[in-house]
Amino acid sequence: MTQDMTPLLNVTNLSISFGGLRAVDDFDITVKKGQLYGLIGPNGAGKTTVFNLLTGVYRPDVGKIFLEDENITNMKTMDINKAGVGRTFQNIRLFKKLTVLDNVKVGLHNRFHYSTLEGIFRLPRYRSIEKIMNEEAYKLLKVFDLENEADYLAGNLPYGKQRKLEIARTLATNPKLLLLDEPAAGMNPNETKDLMKTIRFVRDEFDMTILLIEHDMKLVAGICEELTVLNFGKVLMSGETNAVLNDSRVITAYLGED
Amino acid sequence: MEKIPKIWRENLITYGMVIIAYAVMQILISFGLVSRLVQGLLVPLCIYVILAVSLNLTVGILGELSLGHAGFMCLGAFAGAFFSKVTVDAITFSPVRFFLAILIGAAVAGLFGFLIGMPVLRFRGDYLAIVTLAFGEIIKNVINALFVGLDSNGVHFSLSDRAALGLLDDGDVIINGAQGIIGTPQDSNFTVGVLLVLLTLFIVMNLIRSRDGRAIMSIRDNLIASESIGIHVTKYKLMAFSISAALAGVAGVLYSHNLNSVAASPRAFGYNMSIMILVFVVLGGIGNIRGSMIAAIVLTLLPEMLRGLDRYRMLIYAIVLIVMMLFNWSPKILEWRERHSLRELAGRLRGRSKV
C-alpha cells in the first residue's frame, strides 16, 4: 500500500479568470493512484474549466499541476496527453467520419510508429505495425463490447456506445489518469448502470486512476471513493464520499437555503 | 478483419477506371476516331485530375478550404520549366530530364506549401480561404514580374526588366517577365500524364489509409479531441498542405511541358483556376477521391462537347453544374440512388437465384 501514498495528481492554488470572472479560484486537489475520484458541484461551478486547465486547453493564471513528479502546468494539450492524462468530453467528441476501429487507432498513434513513406509505399513495417495496431484496437473494442461495430462510422453509433468508444479511444493512448467529463450525461437509468460497471471495470482492468465530473448523484455515490465539491469556482469541501454528500454545506449549495 | 480487402477493392476500382479510360482512348486514337481538339485536351485532363485529387487532400481530408492551389501549380510549372530549359542541352535523354523536372517542380511547390502553410494554417475556414487566395495571387504576380537570366557568371535575378539583369554577351534570359519561359521542351504527353495521375492517386489514397492519414482526418473531424489524444495538429496540417502543394506542382510541370512556353497569366494560374479546381472537388464530393477525378474529367470535357451550342454553351454548362450538384448531394436523390444502385441490383439478383 505504500505505492498508494504517492499522489498521482497533485494540484495546488489553481486559478483562472475570464474577464472579471474568477472561473476557478484557488483550486486544490490530490488524487491517489488507483482512486475513483469525483468532482461535483452545481451548474456553472467551474468543473469543466478545471478539466480544461488540467489538459492544457486553458493556461492557469496561477497554480501548479503535478502528474506524479512531472510538472505539467503550462504544457501543450498534446504533451499533457503524452505525459499521461487522457480525457473525454461533456459533449462527445468523436471522429465521426472515421470508423469505430480507426477512432481507436488514432488513439494508438503515439504508441506505434512508422514513417510517412513507409505508409505511402506500403513497406513491410507498415504491414507489421498496422497488424499490431489492429490487434491492440480490437482488444480495446472487445473490452467495451464494440468489436461488432468496428467498421461502422463512429457518428452512426447509438449514444451509449459513442460514450464507450470515446473512453476506449482515450485508453488507447495509455494514460495514467483518466478524466471523464459527465460520462452519464444524456443516459437513461439502465445505460447509467451499465456505465458504472464499465467505469469500475476500467479502473480494475487497466489499473487506472479516474477523476470524473458528474451530476448523477446515484452514479457518484455508487462508484466514487472520494469527492471534491466545487461551488462558484471555489472548493467547498473535499473528503470521503458519504461524508461529503451528507454535509449540510453541500446540500445547501445544491438545493439552496431554506 | 475484412476491412482491408474492402479498401483494396475500392482503390483497385479507381486505378482500373484510369487504366481503362486510357486504353479506350488509345484505341480510339489509333482508329482515328478522336478529333484533334479532344486529343489536345488529353494532357490538360490529366493536369486537372491531378489538381482536383491533390486539392481534395487539403479540402476533403484535412478539411481546410484553400483557394491558392493554382499558385502552387504555377510554382511547379516554372521550377520544372526552368530546369528543363537550362538542362535541355546537357541532358538529351528527355525521360530522365522530365523526371528530374517533375521532382524539382514538386519539391519547390511542396517547399512553398510548407513555408506558406506555417503562418496561414493558424487560420481556419473562411479566413484561411482568403489568405490562401491572396498567397496564390502573390505567387502568380511575383513570377509574372520576375526576370531570371543565366550567363557565365551565374544566375541573375531582377523584378524590374531584362536590362537590369546585366547579362554578359554569352548570357541568356530564362524567365522573361510577363512572357514567362519560352522554348521549354515538350516532354508532356498523354501516357506520362496518366502515369502521373496514377502516382497521385497512389500517394493520396495510400496516405489516407495510413497512420498519418488517420491523424490528418482526425483533425478534420474534431481538432480538440485530436489534440487531447496527443496528435501533433500543426505537424499533420502542414504535412497534408505541403503534399497537396507538391502534387499541384507536379500538375504544373506537366502543364509547362505541354506547350513550348509558359507564362504566369491569370488565365492559367489565377484565382479563377483555383476556384475551378475547388468546383471539381466540391462536385465530386468533398473527401471523395474518385469523385473529384470524375468531376474534373466531366467538367473539362463538357464545354468542348457543347461547342456546337455556340452562345448557349456556358448556360448549359452552368445548368449541368447545378444538376450535378443536386444529383450528388440532395438527400432525396441520394436515397433514390441507394435504392437503384448496381450493388442493390446485384444483391436482389443473388437473392432471387437462391430461391
Side-chain angles (χ1 to χ4, degrees), chain B residues 306-339:
Chain B
L306 294 175
R307 221 164 252 279
L309 295 170
D310 194 29
R311 280 183 299 169
Y312 300 105
R313 189 164 74 109
M314 290 325 279
L315 177 69
I316 304 283
Y317 180 80
I319 291 172
V320 171
L321 264 184
I322 295 167
V323 170
M324 263 178 83
M325 191 65 106
L326 286 175
F327 187 75
N328 274 348
W329 294 107
S330 156
K332 279 257 166 62
I333 292 177
L334 281 181
E335 201 181 297
W336 182 88
R337 270 169 48 186
E338 194 82 358
R339 260 187 288 130

mmCIF file of all heavy atoms in Angstrom, chain B residues 306-339:
data_model
loop_
_atom_site.group_PDB
_atom_site.id
_atom_site.type_symbol
_atom_site.label_atom_id
_atom_site.label_comp_id
_atom_site.label_asym_id
_atom_site.label_seq_id
_atom_site.Cartn_x
_atom_site.Cartn_y
_atom_site.Cartn_z
ATOM 1 N N LEU B 306 -19.953 20.875 -75.778
ATOM 2 C CA LEU B 306 -21.077 21.774 -76.003
ATOM 3 C C LEU B 306 -20.757 22.865 -77.018
ATOM 4 O O LEU B 306 -21.550 23.767 -77.243
ATOM 5 C CB LEU B 306 -21.498 22.431 -74.684
ATOM 6 C CG LEU B 306 -22.070 21.490 -73.628
ATOM 7 C CD1 LEU B 306 -22.318 22.253 -72.348
ATOM 8 C CD2 LEU B 306 -23.341 20.831 -74.112
ATOM 9 N N ARG B 307 -19.583 22.783 -77.638
ATOM 10 C CA ARG B 307 -19.156 23.827 -78.547
ATOM 11 C C ARG B 307 -20.188 24.080 -79.645
ATOM 12 O O ARG B 307 -20.387 25.213 -80.095
ATOM 13 C CB ARG B 307 -17.818 23.457 -79.174
ATOM 14 C CG ARG B 307 -16.860 24.623 -79.279
ATOM 15 C CD ARG B 307 -15.456 24.133 -79.523
ATOM 16 N NE ARG B 307 -14.637 24.305 -78.333
ATOM 17 C CZ ARG B 307 -14.072 25.460 -77.998
ATOM 18 N NH1 ARG B 307 -14.243 26.519 -78.742
ATOM 19 N NH2 ARG B 307 -13.342 25.561 -76.909
ATOM 20 N N GLY B 308 -20.887 23.027 -80.066
ATOM 21 C CA GLY B 308 -21.888 23.167 -81.119
ATOM 22 C C GLY B 308 -23.029 24.096 -80.725
ATOM 23 O O GLY B 308 -23.702 24.671 -81.588
ATOM 24 N N LEU B 309 -23.248 24.249 -79.434
ATOM 25 C CA LEU B 309 -24.371 25.079 -78.980
ATOM 26 C C LEU B 309 -24.039 26.561 -79.006
ATOM 27 O O LEU B 309 -24.871 27.392 -78.651
ATOM 28 C CB LEU B 309 -24.781 24.678 -77.567
ATOM 29 C CG LEU B 309 -25.333 23.257 -77.465
ATOM 30 C CD1 LEU B 309 -25.467 22.863 -76.004
ATOM 31 C CD2 LEU B 309 -26.681 23.154 -78.158
ATOM 32 N N ASP B 310 -22.786 26.833 -79.356
ATOM 33 C CA ASP B 310 -22.393 28.219 -79.556
ATOM 34 C C ASP B 310 -22.650 29.090 -78.336
ATOM 35 O O ASP B 310 -22.088 28.850 -77.282
ATOM 36 C CB ASP B 310 -23.132 28.738 -80.798
ATOM 37 C CG ASP B 310 -22.522 30.047 -81.268
ATOM 38 O OD1 ASP B 310 -21.305 30.222 -81.036
ATOM 39 O OD2 ASP B 310 -23.244 30.865 -81.834
ATOM 40 N N ARG B 311 -23.553 30.058 -78.461
ATOM 41 C CA ARG B 311 -23.733 31.054 -77.405
ATOM 42 C C ARG B 311 -24.311 30.455 -76.123
ATOM 43 O O ARG B 311 -24.121 30.977 -75.044
ATOM 44 C CB ARG B 311 -24.665 32.162 -77.889
ATOM 45 C CG ARG B 311 -23.987 33.183 -78.762
ATOM 46 C CD ARG B 311 -24.969 34.255 -79.122
ATOM 47 N NE ARG B 311 -26.105 33.715 -79.874
ATOM 48 C CZ ARG B 311 -27.214 34.407 -80.135
ATOM 49 N NH1 ARG B 311 -27.342 35.623 -79.691
ATOM 50 N NH2 ARG B 311 -28.189 33.862 -80.830
ATOM 51 N N TYR B 312 -25.066 29.368 -76.266
ATOM 52 C CA TYR B 312 -25.736 28.797 -75.096
ATOM 53 C C TYR B 312 -24.820 27.871 -74.297
ATOM 54 O O TYR B 312 -25.215 27.303 -73.300
ATOM 55 C CB TYR B 312 -26.991 28.045 -75.539
ATOM 56 C CG TYR B 312 -27.967 28.941 -76.249
ATOM 57 C CD1 TYR B 312 -28.131 28.888 -77.626
ATOM 58 C CD2 TYR B 312 -28.692 29.886 -75.515
ATOM 59 C CE1 TYR B 312 -28.997 29.738 -78.273
ATOM 60 C CE2 TYR B 312 -29.569 30.744 -76.155
ATOM 61 C CZ TYR B 312 -29.719 30.671 -77.544
ATOM 62 O OH TYR B 312 -30.571 31.521 -78.165
ATOM 63 N N ARG B 313 -23.590 27.737 -74.778
ATOM 64 C CA ARG B 313 -22.654 26.796 -74.189
ATOM 65 C C ARG B 313 -22.496 26.977 -72.667
ATOM 66 O O ARG B 313 -22.701 26.052 -71.897
ATOM 67 C CB ARG B 313 -21.297 26.985 -74.878
ATOM 68 C CG ARG B 313 -20.266 25.970 -74.543
ATOM 69 C CD ARG B 313 -19.173 26.063 -75.581
ATOM 70 N NE ARG B 313 -18.377 27.241 -75.363
ATOM 71 C CZ ARG B 313 -17.118 27.206 -74.914
ATOM 72 N NH1 ARG B 313 -16.555 26.054 -74.684
ATOM 73 N NH2 ARG B 313 -16.442 28.301 -74.725
ATOM 74 N N MET B 314 -22.159 28.188 -72.255
ATOM 75 C CA MET B 314 -21.905 28.395 -70.829
ATOM 76 C C MET B 314 -23.178 28.316 -70.003
ATOM 77 O O MET B 314 -23.147 27.953 -68.840
ATOM 78 C CB MET B 314 -21.185 29.734 -70.595
ATOM 79 C CG MET B 314 -19.743 29.750 -71.082
ATOM 80 S SD MET B 314 -18.851 28.193 -70.891
ATOM 81 C CE MET B 314 -18.376 28.270 -69.165
ATOM 82 N N LEU B 315 -24.310 28.626 -70.640
ATOM 83 C CA LEU B 315 -25.598 28.496 -69.938
ATOM 84 C C LEU B 315 -25.851 27.027 -69.601
ATOM 85 O O LEU B 315 -26.162 26.667 -68.461
ATOM 86 C CB LEU B 315 -26.729 29.053 -70.815
ATOM 87 C CG LEU B 315 -28.125 28.895 -70.222
ATOM 88 C CD1 LEU B 315 -28.299 29.796 -69.015
ATOM 89 C CD2 LEU B 315 -29.194 29.193 -71.261
ATOM 90 N N ILE B 316 -25.674 26.177 -70.640
ATOM 91 C CA ILE B 316 -25.883 24.744 -70.426
ATOM 92 C C ILE B 316 -24.882 24.226 -69.392
ATOM 93 O O ILE B 316 -25.216 23.443 -68.503
ATOM 94 C CB ILE B 316 -25.707 23.961 -71.752
ATOM 95 C CG1 ILE B 316 -26.638 24.510 -72.827
ATOM 96 C CG2 ILE B 316 -25.937 22.477 -71.537
ATOM 97 C CD1 ILE B 316 -28.072 24.105 -72.705
ATOM 98 N N TYR B 317 -23.653 24.695 -69.507
ATOM 99 C CA TYR B 317 -22.600 24.289 -68.571
ATOM 100 C C TYR B 317 -23.030 24.584 -67.139
ATOM 101 O O TYR B 317 -22.918 23.749 -66.246
ATOM 102 C CB TYR B 317 -21.315 25.035 -68.922
ATOM 103 C CG TYR B 317 -20.131 24.721 -68.050
ATOM 104 C CD1 TYR B 317 -19.382 23.572 -68.250
ATOM 105 C CD2 TYR B 317 -19.750 25.580 -67.025
ATOM 106 C CE1 TYR B 317 -18.286 23.281 -67.465
ATOM 107 C CE2 TYR B 317 -18.660 25.295 -66.225
ATOM 108 C CZ TYR B 317 -17.937 24.148 -66.452
ATOM 109 O OH TYR B 317 -16.852 23.872 -65.660
ATOM 110 N N ALA B 318 -23.560 25.784 -66.939
ATOM 111 C CA ALA B 318 -23.987 26.179 -65.595
ATOM 112 C C ALA B 318 -25.139 25.299 -65.119
ATOM 113 O O ALA B 318 -25.178 24.876 -63.957
ATOM 114 C CB ALA B 318 -24.403 27.645 -65.601
ATOM 115 N N ILE B 319 -26.078 25.015 -66.038
ATOM 116 C CA ILE B 319 -27.215 24.177 -65.647
ATOM 117 C C ILE B 319 -26.728 22.778 -65.271
ATOM 118 O O ILE B 319 -27.153 22.209 -64.266
ATOM 119 C CB ILE B 319 -28.258 24.114 -66.789
ATOM 120 C CG1 ILE B 319 -28.913 25.492 -66.939
ATOM 121 C CG2 ILE B 319 -29.311 23.052 -66.510
ATOM 122 C CD1 ILE B 319 -29.823 25.612 -68.140
ATOM 123 N N VAL B 320 -25.802 22.250 -66.051
ATOM 124 C CA VAL B 320 -25.269 20.922 -65.740
ATOM 125 C C VAL B 320 -24.588 20.932 -64.368
ATOM 126 O O VAL B 320 -24.736 20.001 -63.574
ATOM 127 C CB VAL B 320 -24.286 20.459 -66.834
ATOM 128 C CG1 VAL B 320 -23.560 19.194 -66.400
ATOM 129 C CG2 VAL B 320 -25.029 20.195 -68.132
ATOM 130 N N LEU B 321 -23.866 22.008 -64.080
ATOM 131 C CA LEU B 321 -23.230 22.134 -62.761
ATOM 132 C C LEU B 321 -24.268 22.009 -61.656
ATOM 133 O O LEU B 321 -24.092 21.271 -60.684
ATOM 134 C CB LEU B 321 -22.569 23.508 -62.643
ATOM 135 C CG LEU B 321 -21.091 23.622 -62.959
ATOM 136 C CD1 LEU B 321 -20.630 25.042 -62.687
ATOM 137 C CD2 LEU B 321 -20.287 22.666 -62.114
ATOM 138 N N ILE B 322 -25.374 22.756 -61.826
ATOM 139 C CA ILE B 322 -26.403 22.763 -60.789
ATOM 140 C C ILE B 322 -27.040 21.374 -60.662
ATOM 141 O O ILE B 322 -27.226 20.862 -59.554
ATOM 142 C CB ILE B 322 -27.480 23.833 -61.102
ATOM 143 C CG1 ILE B 322 -26.838 25.227 -61.028
ATOM 144 C CG2 ILE B 322 -28.645 23.729 -60.136
ATOM 145 C CD1 ILE B 322 -27.705 26.320 -61.602
ATOM 146 N N VAL B 323 -27.332 20.766 -61.815
ATOM 147 C CA VAL B 323 -27.964 19.443 -61.777
ATOM 148 C C VAL B 323 -27.033 18.424 -61.119
ATOM 149 O O VAL B 323 -27.445 17.625 -60.282
ATOM 150 C CB VAL B 323 -28.344 18.988 -63.209
ATOM 151 C CG1 VAL B 323 -28.776 17.527 -63.217
ATOM 152 C CG2 VAL B 323 -29.456 19.864 -63.756
ATOM 153 N N MET B 324 -25.744 18.496 -61.466
ATOM 154 C CA MET B 324 -24.790 17.560 -60.862
ATOM 155 C C MET B 324 -24.730 17.751 -59.351
ATOM 156 O O MET B 324 -24.664 16.790 -58.590
ATOM 157 C CB MET B 324 -23.403 17.784 -61.458
ATOM 158 C CG MET B 324 -23.070 16.837 -62.596
ATOM 159 S SD MET B 324 -21.457 17.185 -63.301
ATOM 160 C CE MET B 324 -20.365 16.323 -62.183
ATOM 161 N N MET B 325 -24.746 19.007 -58.936
ATOM 162 C CA MET B 325 -24.679 19.301 -57.506
ATOM 163 C C MET B 325 -25.881 18.692 -56.794
ATOM 164 O O MET B 325 -25.756 18.068 -55.745
ATOM 165 C CB MET B 325 -24.636 20.820 -57.318
ATOM 166 C CG MET B 325 -24.299 21.251 -55.924
ATOM 167 S SD MET B 325 -22.640 20.745 -55.511
ATOM 168 C CE MET B 325 -21.777 22.274 -55.589
ATOM 169 N N LEU B 326 -27.070 18.871 -57.407
ATOM 170 C CA LEU B 326 -28.279 18.307 -56.804
ATOM 171 C C LEU B 326 -28.186 16.786 -56.781
ATOM 172 O O LEU B 326 -28.497 16.148 -55.779
ATOM 173 C CB LEU B 326 -29.515 18.734 -57.607
ATOM 174 C CG LEU B 326 -29.950 20.183 -57.431
ATOM 175 C CD1 LEU B 326 -31.095 20.504 -58.375
ATOM 176 C CD2 LEU B 326 -30.351 20.444 -55.991
ATOM 177 N N PHE B 327 -27.743 16.230 -57.907
ATOM 178 C CA PHE B 327 -27.691 14.776 -58.019
ATOM 179 C C PHE B 327 -26.736 14.194 -56.985
ATOM 180 O O PHE B 327 -26.957 13.131 -56.438
ATOM 181 C CB PHE B 327 -27.243 14.386 -59.430
ATOM 182 C CG PHE B 327 -27.332 12.914 -59.690
ATOM 183 C CD1 PHE B 327 -28.568 12.311 -59.898
ATOM 184 C CD2 PHE B 327 -26.192 12.128 -59.715
ATOM 185 C CE1 PHE B 327 -28.655 10.950 -60.130
ATOM 186 C CE2 PHE B 327 -26.286 10.761 -59.946
ATOM 187 C CZ PHE B 327 -27.528 10.172 -60.153
ATOM 188 N N ASN B 328 -25.669 14.916 -56.712
ATOM 189 C CA ASN B 328 -24.684 14.400 -55.763
ATOM 190 C C ASN B 328 -25.083 14.584 -54.311
ATOM 191 O O ASN B 328 -24.710 13.798 -53.465
ATOM 192 C CB ASN B 328 -23.331 15.088 -55.989
ATOM 193 C CG ASN B 328 -22.537 14.396 -57.054
ATOM 194 O OD1 ASN B 328 -22.888 13.293 -57.460
ATOM 195 N ND2 ASN B 328 -21.482 15.033 -57.517
ATOM 196 N N TRP B 329 -25.826 15.640 -54.017
ATOM 197 C CA TRP B 329 -25.980 15.985 -52.604
ATOM 198 C C TRP B 329 -27.401 16.041 -52.078
ATOM 199 O O TRP B 329 -27.596 16.075 -50.878
ATOM 200 C CB TRP B 329 -25.282 17.326 -52.322
ATOM 201 C CG TRP B 329 -23.815 17.176 -52.517
ATOM 202 C CD1 TRP B 329 -23.078 17.659 -53.544
ATOM 203 C CD2 TRP B 329 -22.924 16.432 -51.690
ATOM 204 N NE1 TRP B 329 -21.777 17.277 -53.406
ATOM 205 C CE2 TRP B 329 -21.644 16.530 -52.283
ATOM 206 C CE3 TRP B 329 -23.062 15.711 -50.511
ATOM 207 C CZ2 TRP B 329 -20.530 15.925 -51.731
ATOM 208 C CZ3 TRP B 329 -21.950 15.106 -49.975
ATOM 209 C CH2 TRP B 329 -20.711 15.216 -50.578
ATOM 210 N N SER B 330 -28.407 16.079 -52.937
ATOM 211 C CA SER B 330 -29.762 16.136 -52.408
ATOM 212 C C SER B 330 -30.097 14.835 -51.671
ATOM 213 O O SER B 330 -29.893 13.750 -52.207
ATOM 214 C CB SER B 330 -30.749 16.348 -53.557
ATOM 215 O OG SER B 330 -32.006 15.864 -53.189
ATOM 216 N N PRO B 331 -30.598 14.933 -50.440
ATOM 217 C CA PRO B 331 -30.860 13.727 -49.651
ATOM 218 C C PRO B 331 -31.836 12.773 -50.345
ATOM 219 O O PRO B 331 -31.642 11.553 -50.333
ATOM 220 C CB PRO B 331 -31.481 14.266 -48.359
ATOM 221 C CG PRO B 331 -31.176 15.707 -48.317
ATOM 222 C CD PRO B 331 -30.922 16.161 -49.712
ATOM 223 N N LYS B 332 -32.876 13.340 -50.976
ATOM 224 C CA LYS B 332 -33.875 12.503 -51.663
ATOM 225 C C LYS B 332 -33.212 11.699 -52.774
ATOM 226 O O LYS B 332 -33.465 10.509 -52.944
ATOM 227 C CB LYS B 332 -34.961 13.405 -52.281
ATOM 228 C CG LYS B 332 -36.016 13.851 -51.299
ATOM 229 C CD LYS B 332 -37.301 13.049 -51.489
ATOM 230 C CE LYS B 332 -38.238 13.244 -50.301
ATOM 231 N NZ LYS B 332 -38.659 14.652 -50.166
ATOM 232 N N ILE B 333 -32.353 12.384 -53.547
ATOM 233 C CA ILE B 333 -31.716 11.703 -54.676
ATOM 234 C C ILE B 333 -30.678 10.690 -54.178
ATOM 235 O O ILE B 333 -30.531 9.617 -54.746
ATOM 236 C CB ILE B 333 -31.095 12.739 -55.640
ATOM 237 C CG1 ILE B 333 -32.238 13.516 -56.298
ATOM 238 C CG2 ILE B 333 -30.213 12.074 -56.688
ATOM 239 C CD1 ILE B 333 -31.822 14.609 -57.217
ATOM 240 N N LEU B 334 -30.020 11.024 -53.082
ATOM 241 C CA LEU B 334 -29.076 10.060 -52.505
ATOM 242 C C LEU B 334 -29.811 8.783 -52.146
ATOM 243 O O LEU B 334 -29.345 7.669 -52.394
ATOM 244 C CB LEU B 334 -28.418 10.658 -51.254
ATOM 245 C CG LEU B 334 -27.289 11.644 -51.494
ATOM 246 C CD1 LEU B 334 -26.732 12.126 -50.169
ATOM 247 C CD2 LEU B 334 -26.176 10.994 -52.310
ATOM 248 N N GLU B 335 -31.011 8.960 -51.584
ATOM 249 C CA GLU B 335 -31.830 7.813 -51.188
ATOM 250 C C GLU B 335 -32.222 7.006 -52.425
ATOM 251 O O GLU B 335 -32.132 5.778 -52.447
ATOM 252 C CB GLU B 335 -33.079 8.344 -50.480
ATOM 253 C CG GLU B 335 -33.784 7.349 -49.593
ATOM 254 C CD GLU B 335 -35.007 8.013 -48.983
ATOM 255 O OE1 GLU B 335 -34.829 8.988 -48.220
ATOM 256 O OE2 GLU B 335 -36.127 7.608 -49.327
ATOM 257 N N TRP B 336 -32.656 7.735 -53.471
ATOM 258 C CA TRP B 336 -33.058 7.084 -54.709
ATOM 259 C C TRP B 336 -31.892 6.292 -55.302
ATOM 260 O O TRP B 336 -32.045 5.162 -55.747
ATOM 261 C CB TRP B 336 -33.531 8.160 -55.703
ATOM 262 C CG TRP B 336 -34.018 7.595 -57.007
ATOM 263 C CD1 TRP B 336 -35.286 7.186 -57.308
ATOM 264 C CD2 TRP B 336 -33.244 7.376 -58.196
ATOM 265 N NE1 TRP B 336 -35.350 6.734 -58.595
ATOM 266 C CE2 TRP B 336 -34.109 6.836 -59.169
ATOM 267 C CE3 TRP B 336 -31.907 7.589 -58.535
ATOM 268 C CZ2 TRP B 336 -33.683 6.502 -60.459
ATOM 269 C CZ3 TRP B 336 -31.476 7.250 -59.807
ATOM 270 C CH2 TRP B 336 -32.363 6.710 -60.753
ATOM 271 N N ARG B 337 -30.696 6.919 -55.252
ATOM 272 C CA ARG B 337 -29.530 6.254 -55.807
ATOM 273 C C ARG B 337 -29.195 4.995 -55.021
ATOM 274 O O ARG B 337 -28.800 3.982 -55.573
ATOM 275 C CB ARG B 337 -28.332 7.202 -55.780
ATOM 276 C CG ARG B 337 -28.234 8.009 -57.051
ATOM 277 C CD ARG B 337 -27.233 9.119 -56.942
ATOM 278 N NE ARG B 337 -25.947 8.708 -56.392
ATOM 279 C CZ ARG B 337 -24.977 9.561 -56.113
ATOM 280 N NH1 ARG B 337 -25.135 10.840 -56.326
ATOM 281 N NH2 ARG B 337 -23.840 9.148 -55.624
ATOM 282 N N GLU B 338 -29.384 5.094 -53.720
ATOM 283 C CA GLU B 338 -29.121 3.946 -52.843
ATOM 284 C C GLU B 338 -30.012 2.769 -53.262
ATOM 285 O O GLU B 338 -29.574 1.639 -53.384
ATOM 286 C CB GLU B 338 -29.430 4.365 -51.393
ATOM 287 C CG GLU B 338 -28.902 3.412 -50.367
ATOM 288 C CD GLU B 338 -27.423 3.669 -50.067
ATOM 289 O OE1 GLU B 338 -26.803 4.570 -50.692
ATOM 290 O OE2 GLU B 338 -26.911 2.970 -49.235
ATOM 291 N N ARG B 339 -31.292 3.080 -53.526
ATOM 292 C CA ARG B 339 -32.262 2.029 -53.853
ATOM 293 C C ARG B 339 -32.015 1.448 -55.242
ATOM 294 O O ARG B 339 -32.303 0.287 -55.486
ATOM 295 C CB ARG B 339 -33.690 2.593 -53.772
ATOM 296 C CG ARG B 339 -34.370 2.219 -52.455
ATOM 297 C CD ARG B 339 -35.822 2.641 -52.457
ATOM 298 N NE ARG B 339 -35.942 4.085 -52.341
ATOM 299 C CZ ARG B 339 -36.683 4.839 -53.152
ATOM 300 N NH1 ARG B 339 -37.363 4.291 -54.132
ATOM 301 N NH2 ARG B 339 -36.748 6.142 -52.969
#
